[in-house]
Amino acid sequence: MSIINDNFMIKSETGKKLYAMVKDLPIIDYHCHLSPKQIAEDYKFRNAFDLFLGGDHYKWRQLRTNGVPEELITGNADEYEKFKAFAATMPMLIGNPLYHWTHLELKRYFDIDEPLNEDTCEMIWNICNEKLALPEFSAQNLIKRSNVEVICTTDDPADTLEYHAQMKDFSTKILPTFRPDKAVEIANDTFIPYIEMIGVKTYDELVAWIVSRIEFFASMGCRLSDHAMGYVPFATGDAAAAFEKRMNGEALTQYEIDSFKTAIFKVCAKEYARLGWTMQIHIGALRNNNKRMFEKLGPDTGFDSINDLAIAEPLSAFMNNLEYDDCLPKTILYTLNPKDNYVLGTMLGNFQKAPTAGKIQFGSGWWFNDQRDGMVNQMCSLANLGMISRFVGMLTDSRSFVSYPRHEYFRRILCNLIGTWVDDGEYPADMKALEKIVAGVCYYNAKNYFNF
């Protein structure tokens, strides 16, 4: 029997009523890693492996943990054999969100109630493949079936955005997001090749190029930026001198690195504020820990983890610097380390400003926190320290076209949490007020905040 039923993840009686009010609201996926090319070309999936496992490093990590050889994960093994390895791993994932997500996906898109395991593998493989051959299972049709109103992809500043241009008539808005990490991370091995690729020679030319690309992205409907940071830099040295040294092949001090990153970050933030964009800052990933596997497979292949840094002072200094110059944009702060939930939860209140309600946001549980406990901890921290009622809610942060049930997962958890507070007598059973709160978090807050 399927675990996916009407009351899945919801024990609160009030929570069940709240979920009924919001379950059919459209989805605004304001941060994801879907391929614009695959959407524009209406990609057809080869089989269940291609749909469920292609590029999904969340699953790759668990396959490795279960002792599956790399050949059956990222290697050249037969795709059915890879899917069988995934099916054999699934029963071992008790307590892991992948178990819930996978069975939500099987139920919502393929109407499959049976648990995925070694015994059901072949049957589920065949059902999925038969349906994936149908037109309604193409990339665009999966998006339509998922009731997605807006998708914001994640795009490099040098991108032509040609695929976004092809999708202007698609019923779902497909908008770019400005992700300038390659132009910011001056210490990375990729920095000099990137600067040479974009054709700039000096720091001033780089600044002008970034501003011009922001303008281009804005002309294509962009409303958000995204910055991934292992740590938050703040220093006030000579960014132009640091740029020149790096391009000459000279080693930089940490202060010079941080001075450059701070300066470029501030250039971007001023432009975001001018255009009314939202700046997303993802803090705390420790990337590419396994050098041997990084050299073999590259980044984003399942060898990242949580960093452990003091983030409060530099983050405060950076935001204060922008606010003092009256150019702090709408900002969403995400932490990968849950120890910093209260750091971000209190940082928000320092820089809130009318007329935008919830101008500074505490982002949804991200990556390793994208599970029930992580989401509940993030929302409880936000409620304790600020206003969960102004929260812009969930995003997929995914490369998968069937990841949209994660919004359902989030909505169920949200409604159960708030419903439990009501059932415990901590908030009145005012269903009109409660519906406004949960519908806001699930849909309307994001729609209004991003001006979609």
Side-chain angles (χ1 to χ4, degrees), residues 229-415:
M229 296 183 172
Y231 68 97
V232 180
F234 186 76
T236 56
D238 190 336
F243 177 85
E244 186 174 352
K245 281 184 67 176
R246 181 73 172 95
M247 295 306 293
N248 287 334
E250 299 177 50
L252 300 182
T253 66
Q254 190 62 50
Y255 183 76
E256 289 171 326
I257 292 169
D258 289 350
S259 294
F260 174 84
K261 291 168 70 171
T262 302
I264 293 294
F265 199 9
K266 188 170 181 180
V267 166
C268 292
K270 285 184 174 181
E271 293 302 306
Y272 306 155
R274 179 178 65 83
L275 292 165
W277 285 12
T278 296
M279 175 171 66
Q280 298 177 96
I281 307 176
H282 286 84
I283 305 167
L286 188 63
R287 298 180 185 272
N288 307 320
N289 295 271
N290 187 326
K291 183 178 180 181
R292 185 177 66 84
M293 294 304 291
F294 173 72
E295 290 175 350
K296 180 179 179 180
L297 298 175
D300 302 320
T301 51
F303 300 98
D304 307 318
S305 56
I306 295 172
N307 212 335
D308 186 19
L309 298 167
I311 68 170
E313 288 191 15
L315 177 60
S316 174
F318 180 73
M319 296 182 73
N320 181 58
N321 187 266
L322 290 172
E323 177 58 27
Y324 190 81
D325 292 340
D326 198 24
C327 60
L328 178 64
K330 291 182 290 187
T331 301
I332 306 177
L333 302 172
Y334 304 84
T335 178
L336 198 54
N337 196 326
K339 77 174 179 61
D340 292 320
N341 280 359
Y342 271 46
V343 172
L344 297 194
T346 54
M347 191 67 69
L348 312 178
N350 298 329
F351 301 103
Q352 301 291 12
K353 188 177 182 180
T356 303
K359 176 182 176 179
I360 313 300
Q361 289 276 328
F362 181 9
S364 179
W366 166 46
W367 200 343
F368 298 113
N369 300 309
D370 189 5
Q371 27 77 9
R372 179 179 55 196
D373 292 347
M375 291 178 186
V376 169
N377 289 339
Q378 183 268 344
M379 288 190 282
C380 285
S381 298
L382 178 56
N384 280 328
L385 303 167
M387 285 189 184
I388 193 173
S389 57
R390 292 297 186 182
F391 178 32
V392 294
M394 181 60 175
L395 53 129
T396 61
D397 192 27
S398 174
R399 292 168 174 79
S400 170
F401 284 85
V402 288
S403 63
Y404 289 104
R406 296 185 194 180
H407 281 263
E408 174 184 341
Y409 188 67
F410 170 83
R411 290 174 181 183
R412 288 176 176 275
I413 291 167
L414 168 72
C415 290

Side-chain angles (χ1 to χ4, degrees), residues 6 16 18-27 147 408 411-412 415 442:
D6 289 346
K16 294 171 187 177
L18 294 176
Y19 181 68
M21 296 175 176
V22 300
K23 65 184 181 71
D24 295 324
L25 287 174
I27 289 170
N147 195 23
E408 174 184 341
R411 290 174 181 183
R412 288 176 176 275
C415 290
C442 293

Side-chain angles (χ1 to χ4, degrees), residues 60-92:
W60 296 351
R61 283 174 70 94
Q62 303 312 322
L63 288 165
R64 293 178 186 124
T65 301
N66 202 38
V68 174
E70 196 66 30
E71 180 70 9
L72 288 169
I73 303 172
T74 60
N76 295 319
D78 177 78
E79 290 182 340
Y80 176 61
E81 294 303 314
K82 291 181 177 180
F83 188 78
K84 279 176 63 178
F86 175 55
T89 297
M90 187 55 54
M92 307 301 290

Side-chain angles (χ1 to χ4, degrees), residues 14 17-22 25 357 387-392 414-415 418 422 427-446 448:
T14 300
K17 296 175 185 176
L18 294 176
Y19 181 68
M21 296 175 176
V22 300
L25 287 174
M387 285 189 184
I388 193 173
S389 57
R390 292 297 186 182
F391 178 32
V392 294
L414 168 72
C415 290
I418 291 180
V422 174
Y427 191 92
D430 181 344
M431 299 309 290
K432 182 177 180 181
L434 290 164
E435 181 177 10
K436 183 177 181 181
I437 291 169
V438 295
V441 175
C442 293
Y443 172 70
Y444 292 103
N445 290 351
N448 295 330

